[in-house]
Amino acid sequence: MRSNTNTFDVDVPALPTNNGHRPPDSASADDITAVRQVVEDLVHNHGKQVIVLMHSYGVNLAGRENLVQFAADGTWFPVDPAQLLYQDLTPKDQQEQTKLLKWGNAAILAGNATYAAWKDVPALYVRSTEDRWLPPEFQDFCLQTAADAGASVEVSALKSGHSPYVEFADRIADMTFGVGSLYGGGQTTLEQAK
């Protein structure tokens, strides 16, 4: 990943719950283990500083079940990805991004977190003002919950749909480097867990 003036090393650990297997053969604990192994290796064996960049994982859809189709095998898929996740992109980008989606393990939509790192680690939240999947009002509710819990969350906003990393990759890289230089300086390694 490259910002205007800096370069990040990027590791993208594959999340077992997003492997497309039907029926699912993994749980959110497996995702945690996959990310933890990569981060621990980078920190302990390679002396790297790590920033974890995450995107839309395990949101409880209570009351919003109409956004997804659930299959009898315990998997789920967005009802209309082009309009819910990528409506602000060109038709070509919508098609490309939709092809990357896989049926996911439905259990992550209702699971409880075992640890909320955002309570202890400074965080940057990129608020997507045109998001149809997680509307701005829902994002604001989550941000207020974090503030009420005493979390240190810096908020930036982009006029984007649910997937700003497609249209605004350079801006997100700059924001990420900014966070990295605030909390560690020097060479920064970016871990992307999405």
Side-chain angles (χ1 to χ4, degrees):
M1 175 179 271
R2 183 177 304 279
S3 72
N4 290 333
T5 57
N6 303 289
T7 301
F8 296 94
D9 295 329
V10 178
D11 287 278
V12 183
L15 298 182
T17 61
N18 195 36
N19 62 16
H21 292 181
R22 300 179 73 182
D25 59 0
S26 55
S28 56
D30 299 310
D31 290 347
I32 293 166
T33 298
V35 173
R36 179 176 285 136
Q37 287 174 340
V38 171
V39 171
E40 286 179 348
D41 179 59
L42 289 167
V43 171
H44 299 301
N45 298 329
H46 300 283
K48 299 284 188 172
Q49 297 175 13
V50 175
I51 295 173
V52 178
L53 179 63
M54 301 183 338
H55 178 256
S56 189
Y57 177 88
V59 173
N60 188 322
L61 294 174
R64 302 175 67 226
E65 293 87 355
N66 61 323
L67 299 179
V68 298
Q69 51 187 317
F70 291 98
D73 64 10
T75 58
W76 71 279
F77 197 82
V79 170
D80 185 353
Q83 290 306 308
L84 287 172
L85 304 175
Y86 313 120
Q87 86 280 358
D88 59 323
L89 302 179
T90 66
K92 179 183 176 195
D93 285 341
Q94 288 176 348
Q95 189 174 41
E96 182 179 296
Q97 292 299 307
T98 299
K99 283 181 182 177
L100 295 172
L101 293 174
K102 298 176 184 170
W103 283 79
N105 184 340
I108 70 165
L109 299 176
N112 293 318
T114 57
Y115 171 66
W118 53 265
K119 291 181 178 179
D120 300 318
V121 179
L124 167 68
Y125 183 89
V126 179
R127 188 175 180 276
S128 297
T129 63
E130 308 295 317
D131 196 334
R132 292 181 180 169
W133 184 257
L134 298 176
E137 300 79 15
F138 181 78
Q139 296 175 61
D140 293 343
F141 169 79
C142 294
L143 289 165
Q144 187 59 54
T145 300
D148 292 347
S152 172
V153 179
E154 180 181 332
V155 180
S156 289
L158 290 173
K159 186 175 180 178
S160 71
H162 186 70
S163 303
Y165 55 85
V166 178
E167 192 74 22
F168 297 101
D170 289 343
R171 299 233 354 240
I172 291 174
D174 288 339
M175 289 178 200
T176 304
F177 184 79
V179 170
S181 59
L182 282 175
Y183 297 106
Q187 182 179 356
T188 304
T189 298
L190 173 69
E191 286 299 318
Q192 184 180 27
K194 61 177 196 175

